[in-house]
Amino acid sequence: MSNMLEEENSVLEYLKSLTLLCVEDNKTTQIIYDSIFEDLVKEVIFADNGEDGYQKYIDNKIDIIITDYEMPVMNGLEMAEKIGKVDKEIPIILITAIE
């Protein structure tokens, strides 16, 4: 039991060192993401579309990305491909409501 608690604390400490980029055009979903992640990670940075997300990735030290798929200007998959040309190792989670 003690080992599990130490591992859990270690994971939580690691999460607290991460900067998360959330790329989402829906303001309500941004608020939900903020309430979920604000106490889990060091910083949450928001972008409203893929182009904005790519620029914020370039301008900041981002450790992990959560992105919507369908957005104006540039969709999440296009953004992920563009970021992948710069950094093949960054974890990107693509989320969609498309059925």
Side-chain angles (χ1 to χ4, degrees), residues 48-61:
D48 295 322
N49 60 63
E51 187 62 43
D52 185 32
Y54 178 76
Q55 193 58 54
K56 287 187 175 164
Y57 168 79
I58 295 298
D59 293 342
N60 298 277
K61 187 201 175 309

Side-chain angles (χ1 to χ4, degrees), residues 14-92:
Y14 174 69
L15 286 172
K16 281 285 192 187
S17 73
L18 300 179
T19 298
L20 170 67
L21 173 61
C22 288
V23 187
E24 171 61 59
D25 61 324
N26 183 289
K27 295 298 182 190
T28 302
T29 305
Q30 286 184 3
I31 291 167
I32 292 168
Y33 281 156
D34 193 42
S35 69
I36 292 170
F37 296 114
E38 68 182 341
D39 294 329
L40 289 176
V41 298
K42 177 177 73 175
E43 182 178 12
V44 181
I45 297 172
F46 287 96
D48 295 322
N49 60 63
E51 187 62 43
D52 185 32
Y54 178 76
Q55 193 58 54
K56 287 187 175 164
Y57 168 79
I58 295 298
D59 293 342
N60 298 277
K61 187 201 175 309
I62 303 297
D63 299 298
I64 187 167
I65 300 169
I66 295 177
T67 182
D68 187 19
Y69 172 73
E70 197 167 317
M71 294 178 290
V73 185
M74 178 188 296
N75 72 38
L77 188 56
E78 293 168 330
M79 181 198 69
E81 289 172 344
K82 194 170 180 179
I83 290 172
K85 292 177 181 173
V86 177
D87 181 355
K88 294 185 183 333
E89 300 296 318
I90 188 158
I92 301 174

